mmCIF file with all atom_site columns, all heavy atoms in Angstrom:
data_model
loop_
_atom_site.group_PDB
_atom_site.id
_atom_site.type_symbol
_atom_site.label_atom_id
_atom_site.label_alt_id
_atom_site.label_comp_id
_atom_site.label_asym_id
_atom_site.label_entity_id
_atom_site.label_seq_id
_atom_site.pdbx_PDB_ins_code
_atom_site.Cartn_x
_atom_site.Cartn_y
_atom_site.Cartn_z
_atom_site.occupancy
_atom_site.B_iso_or_equiv
_atom_site.pdbx_formal_charge
_atom_site.auth_seq_id
_atom_site.auth_comp_id
_atom_site.auth_asym_id
_atom_site.auth_atom_id
_atom_site.pdbx_PDB_model_num
ATOM 1  N N   . HIS A 1 93  ? 0.460   -46.294 28.439 1.00 0.00 ? 93  HIS A N   1
ATOM 2  C CA  . HIS A 1 93  ? 0.358   -46.724 29.833 1.00 0.00 ? 93  HIS A CA  1
ATOM 3  C C   . HIS A 1 93  ? -1.094  -46.654 30.303 1.00 0.00 ? 93  HIS A C   1
ATOM 4  O O   . HIS A 1 93  ? -1.595  -47.582 30.965 1.00 0.00 ? 93  HIS A O   1
ATOM 5  C CB  . HIS A 1 93  ? 1.254   -45.837 30.702 1.00 0.00 ? 93  HIS A CB  1
ATOM 6  C CG  . HIS A 1 93  ? 1.222   -46.175 32.148 1.00 0.00 ? 93  HIS A CG  1
ATOM 7  N ND1 . HIS A 1 93  ? 1.768   -47.334 32.648 1.00 0.00 ? 93  HIS A ND1 1
ATOM 8  C CD2 . HIS A 1 93  ? 0.704   -45.506 33.219 1.00 0.00 ? 93  HIS A CD2 1
ATOM 9  C CE1 . HIS A 1 93  ? 1.583   -47.371 33.952 1.00 0.00 ? 93  HIS A CE1 1
ATOM 10 N NE2 . HIS A 1 93  ? 0.941   -46.261 34.319 1.00 0.00 ? 93  HIS A NE2 1
ATOM 11 N N   . GLY A 1 96  ? -3.036  -49.446 28.808 1.00 0.00 ? 96  GLY A N   1
ATOM 12 C CA  . GLY A 1 96  ? -2.736  -50.707 29.493 1.00 0.00 ? 96  GLY A CA  1
ATOM 13 C C   . GLY A 1 96  ? -3.463  -50.804 30.821 1.00 0.00 ? 96  GLY A C   1
ATOM 14 O O   . GLY A 1 96  ? -4.011  -51.857 31.175 1.00 0.00 ? 96  GLY A O   1
ATOM 15 N N   . LYS A 1 97  ? -3.525  -49.699 31.578 1.00 0.00 ? 97  LYS A N   1
ATOM 16 C CA  . LYS A 1 97  ? -4.242  -49.712 32.851 1.00 0.00 ? 97  LYS A CA  1
ATOM 17 C C   . LYS A 1 97  ? -5.739  -49.904 32.634 1.00 0.00 ? 97  LYS A C   1
ATOM 18 O O   . LYS A 1 97  ? -6.393  -50.621 33.388 1.00 0.00 ? 97  LYS A O   1
ATOM 19 C CB  . LYS A 1 97  ? -4.003  -48.384 33.592 1.00 0.00 ? 97  LYS A CB  1
ATOM 20 C CG  . LYS A 1 97  ? -2.658  -48.324 34.256 1.00 0.00 ? 97  LYS A CG  1
ATOM 21 C CD  . LYS A 1 97  ? -2.287  -47.004 34.867 1.00 0.00 ? 97  LYS A CD  1
ATOM 22 C CE  . LYS A 1 97  ? -3.325  -46.334 35.657 1.00 0.00 ? 97  LYS A CE  1
ATOM 23 N NZ  . LYS A 1 97  ? -2.892  -45.082 36.293 1.00 0.00 ? 97  LYS A NZ  1
ATOM 24 N N   . TRP A 1 98  ? -6.282  -49.295 31.595 1.00 0.00 ? 98  TRP A N   1
ATOM 25 C CA  . TRP A 1 98  ? -7.705  -49.410 31.318 1.00 0.00 ? 98  TRP A CA  1
ATOM 26 C C   . TRP A 1 98  ? -8.068  -50.844 30.955 1.00 0.00 ? 98  TRP A C   1
ATOM 27 O O   . TRP A 1 98  ? -9.089  -51.373 31.389 1.00 0.00 ? 98  TRP A O   1
ATOM 28 C CB  . TRP A 1 98  ? -8.074  -48.458 30.183 1.00 0.00 ? 98  TRP A CB  1
ATOM 29 C CG  . TRP A 1 98  ? -9.543  -48.411 29.902 1.00 0.00 ? 98  TRP A CG  1
ATOM 30 C CD1 . TRP A 1 98  ? -10.500 -47.835 30.662 1.00 0.00 ? 98  TRP A CD1 1
ATOM 31 C CD2 . TRP A 1 98  ? -10.208 -48.977 28.777 1.00 0.00 ? 98  TRP A CD2 1
ATOM 32 N NE1 . TRP A 1 98  ? -11.725 -48.002 30.096 1.00 0.00 ? 98  TRP A NE1 1
ATOM 33 C CE2 . TRP A 1 98  ? -11.567 -48.695 28.916 1.00 0.00 ? 98  TRP A CE2 1
ATOM 34 C CE3 . TRP A 1 98  ? -9.780  -49.694 27.671 1.00 0.00 ? 98  TRP A CE3 1
ATOM 35 C CZ2 . TRP A 1 98  ? -12.512 -49.107 27.993 1.00 0.00 ? 98  TRP A CZ2 1
ATOM 36 C CZ3 . TRP A 1 98  ? -10.725 -50.089 26.748 1.00 0.00 ? 98  TRP A CZ3 1
ATOM 37 C CH2 . TRP A 1 98  ? -12.068 -49.800 26.909 1.00 0.00 ? 98  TRP A CH2 1
ATOM 38 N N   . PHE A 1 99  ? -7.230  -51.475 30.177 1.00 0.00 ? 99  PHE A N   1
ATOM 39 C CA  . PHE A 1 99  ? -7.529  -52.849 29.775 1.00 0.00 ? 99  PHE A CA  1
ATOM 40 C C   . PHE A 1 99  ? -7.334  -53.831 30.926 1.00 0.00 ? 99  PHE A C   1
ATOM 41 O O   . PHE A 1 99  ? -7.979  -54.866 30.966 1.00 0.00 ? 99  PHE A O   1
ATOM 42 C CB  . PHE A 1 99  ? -6.662  -53.262 28.580 1.00 0.00 ? 99  PHE A CB  1
ATOM 43 C CG  . PHE A 1 99  ? -7.084  -52.605 27.295 1.00 0.00 ? 99  PHE A CG  1
ATOM 44 C CD1 . PHE A 1 99  ? -6.217  -51.835 26.557 1.00 0.00 ? 99  PHE A CD1 1
ATOM 45 C CD2 . PHE A 1 99  ? -8.386  -52.762 26.827 1.00 0.00 ? 99  PHE A CD2 1
ATOM 46 C CE1 . PHE A 1 99  ? -6.609  -51.243 25.393 1.00 0.00 ? 99  PHE A CE1 1
ATOM 47 C CE2 . PHE A 1 99  ? -8.790  -52.161 25.648 1.00 0.00 ? 99  PHE A CE2 1
ATOM 48 C CZ  . PHE A 1 99  ? -7.900  -51.397 24.922 1.00 0.00 ? 99  PHE A CZ  1
ATOM 49 N N   . LYS A 1 100 ? -6.456  -53.499 31.855 1.00 0.00 ? 100 LYS A N   1
ATOM 50 C CA  . LYS A 1 100 ? -6.248  -54.402 32.989 1.00 0.00 ? 100 LYS A CA  1
ATOM 51 C C   . LYS A 1 100 ? -7.424  -54.321 33.961 1.00 0.00 ? 100 LYS A C   1
ATOM 52 O O   . LYS A 1 100 ? -7.678  -55.241 34.705 1.00 0.00 ? 100 LYS A O   1
ATOM 53 C CB  . LYS A 1 100 ? -4.961  -54.039 33.730 1.00 0.00 ? 100 LYS A CB  1
ATOM 54 C CG  . LYS A 1 100 ? -3.728  -54.451 32.971 1.00 0.00 ? 100 LYS A CG  1
ATOM 55 C CD  . LYS A 1 100 ? -2.495  -54.050 33.736 1.00 0.00 ? 100 LYS A CD  1
ATOM 56 C CE  . LYS A 1 100 ? -1.265  -54.343 32.904 1.00 0.00 ? 100 LYS A CE  1
ATOM 57 N NZ  . LYS A 1 100 ? -0.051  -53.872 33.524 1.00 0.00 ? 100 LYS A NZ  1
ATOM 58 N N   . ARG A 1 101 ? -8.144  -53.194 34.000 1.00 0.00 ? 101 ARG A N   1
ATOM 59 C CA  . ARG A 1 101 ? -9.241  -53.026 34.922 1.00 0.00 ? 101 ARG A CA  1
ATOM 60 C C   . ARG A 1 101 ? -10.493 -53.772 34.496 1.00 0.00 ? 101 ARG A C   1
ATOM 61 O O   . ARG A 1 101 ? -11.417 -53.908 35.265 1.00 0.00 ? 101 ARG A O   1
ATOM 62 C CB  . ARG A 1 101 ? -9.602  -51.544 35.015 1.00 0.00 ? 101 ARG A CB  1
ATOM 63 C CG  . ARG A 1 101 ? -8.761  -50.797 35.982 1.00 0.00 ? 101 ARG A CG  1
ATOM 64 C CD  . ARG A 1 101 ? -9.374  -49.452 36.249 1.00 0.00 ? 101 ARG A CD  1
ATOM 65 N NE  . ARG A 1 101 ? -8.290  -48.499 36.284 1.00 0.00 ? 101 ARG A NE  1
ATOM 66 C CZ  . ARG A 1 101 ? -8.359  -47.249 35.920 1.00 0.00 ? 101 ARG A CZ  1
ATOM 67 N NH1 . ARG A 1 101 ? -9.480  -46.772 35.448 1.00 0.00 ? 101 ARG A NH1 1
ATOM 68 N NH2 . ARG A 1 101 ? -7.342  -46.460 36.004 1.00 0.00 ? 101 ARG A NH2 1
#
Side-chain angles (χ1 to χ4, degrees):
H93 179 70
K97 282 173 45 177
W98 185 72
F99 287 122
K100 286 179 186 175
R101 276 193 221 149

